[in-house]
Amino acid sequence: MSAEKRNALGKGLSALLNDSENVLPYKKPNSNNNNNTGASAEVNGLGSVNDIKLSEIEVNPFQPRTDFDEQALADLSASIKLQGLIQPITVRRVNAHQYQLISGERRLRASKLAGLTHIPAYVRTANDQQMLEMALIENIQRENLNAIEVALSFQRMLDEVGLKQEELGERVSKNRSTVTNYLRLLKLPPTIQASIRDGELSMGHARALITVEDPAQQLYLHKHIIQQGLSVRKVEEMVRDLQKLRTKRKENNPSRRRFRYKRYRTI
């Protein structure tokens, strides 16, 4: 990993975007000369805010999130119609009249719903790996992201960006144990992962289920959590009971006792 990337650790998306003082104030294009808005980035320089045609922006191919709440988009679209888009999106230039989205897909979609033809955007330089890293970090920093989406983003950061868990924790401002707990969610059966994703199970429920080694027992507990609406504390109690029962069965296993006896006689 280069020294420049290491220096950016812990600073999040702003460090990757390389924000600096040369970002110019946003100026709306001349309404009598809208044809020049697509080229305004060349005039102001990379890092400035420009009005870009929506038709010239393609979505980020590395975007890890594909599920967008339709009602939330409609609400954001209504707000944009009334007050405009307050926070610009971020794009990279592909050619003179084509851009690729780095971050802000919700804002882009809502702006299209609102009927806008242009959108304010930061124009940045980024290679494919930086694009992926930016998209993942922006995704992780969302407040409404579910635990499975966070876990999948963490795993992609490890696999595709090549970060170690310590580096990942620094980059997203989380300690290593938190990162590990999220990654362990991906070892749960798909049915349980789906319930976490859909909000039927909390992160507390998930942490309790992770400590159960047997997938069949995990699914058994999952079924009762859903059917009976069990609290996290109740699930933790059930997990402890299962672990005690498992230990007791091992101790009472006749073959295990014979093994210990033979081992003792040999000694």
Side-chain angles (χ1 to χ4, degrees):
M1 183 179 294
S2 66
E4 181 180 351
K5 287 191 73 177
R6 288 187 180 278
N7 290 336
L9 289 177
K11 297 180 182 178
L13 189 60
S14 61
L16 286 170
L17 292 177
N18 196 24
D19 287 332
S20 61
E21 294 180 356
N22 70 343
V23 176
L24 302 180
Y26 165 60
K27 294 182 180 180
K28 293 193 93 174
N30 189 328
S31 59
N32 296 325
N33 192 20
N34 281 342
N35 291 332
N36 294 329
T37 58
S40 59
E42 292 181 348
V43 176
N44 294 334
L46 295 175
S48 61
V49 181
N50 308 275
D51 251 36
I52 297 175
K53 292 180 181 179
L54 285 169
S55 60
E56 295 180 350
I57 303 172
E58 62 182 40
V59 297
N60 186 346
F62 305 105
Q63 168 61 262
R65 189 171 195 179
T66 57
D67 182 27
F68 293 87
D69 184 276
E70 295 298 329
Q71 185 57 52
L73 282 176
D75 292 343
L76 180 56
S77 174
S79 174
I80 290 172
K81 283 182 181 180
L82 289 175
Q83 301 186 20
L85 186 64
I86 297 174
Q87 182 182 0
I89 63 172
T90 304
V91 299
R92 71 169 175 175
R93 181 189 295 281
V94 177
N95 55 47
H97 296 288
Q98 186 179 8
Y99 302 87
Q100 200 169 67
L101 187 68
I102 294 177
S103 65
E105 185 162 350
R106 284 183 67 254
R107 280 164 278 156
L108 180 67
R109 290 180 179 228
S111 296
K112 290 179 179 179
L113 287 175
L116 301 188
T117 58
H118 293 72
I119 189 171
Y122 292 107
V123 180
R124 305 290 185 184
T125 55
N127 59 33
D128 285 352
Q129 179 172 324
Q130 290 170 327
M131 284 279 287
L132 171 62
E133 193 168 353
M134 290 175 192
L136 288 170
I137 288 181
E138 189 211 19
N139 198 47
I140 290 166
Q141 290 176 343
R142 290 184 181 278
E143 292 182 0
N144 61 341
L145 206 65
N146 68 64
I148 294 299
E149 288 175 320
V150 172
L152 289 170
S153 294
F154 282 172
Q155 192 62 58
R156 288 190 66 183
M157 292 282 283
L158 297 176
D159 295 341
E160 300 178 46
V161 180
L163 295 179
K164 297 180 180 178
Q165 285 196 25
E166 296 88 345
E167 295 170 333
L168 172 57
E170 292 175 354
R171 186 65 62 88
V172 298
S173 302
K174 297 184 185 295
N175 59 48
R176 182 177 179 178
S177 62
T178 300
V179 171
T180 301
N181 283 336
Y182 274 107
L183 292 172
R184 290 175 69 194
L185 296 180
L186 301 180
K187 296 181 180 180
L188 291 168
T191 302
I192 298 178
Q193 290 189 41
S195 290
I196 298 169
R197 180 199 63 204
D198 297 338
E200 295 176 325
L201 297 183
S202 70
M203 189 62 176
H205 288 114
R207 280 196 296 265
L209 292 175
I210 286 171
T211 62
V212 179
E213 297 180 6
D214 186 357
Q217 290 184 340
Q218 289 176 338
L219 291 169
Y220 168 83
L221 289 169
H222 168 257
K223 179 180 178 180
H224 283 273
I225 293 171
I226 301 300
Q227 290 181 345
Q228 301 176 25
L230 299 179
S231 67
V232 173
R233 179 171 295 183
K234 181 61 178 176
V235 176
E236 289 172 343
E237 290 176 1
M238 294 176 70
V239 168
R240 284 194 294 268
D241 290 342
L242 282 173
Q243 290 173 337
K244 288 178 182 177
L245 181 61
R246 187 167 179 267
T247 301
K248 189 175 181 180
R249 284 177 176 172
K250 283 184 177 181
E251 291 175 348
N252 293 333
N253 189 322
S255 61
R256 187 178 180 85
R257 287 205 306 271
R258 285 196 299 270
F259 173 75
R260 286 180 176 175
Y261 176 74
K262 289 179 180 178
R263 184 178 177 186
Y264 175 77
R265 289 290 299 272
T266 302
I267 295 173

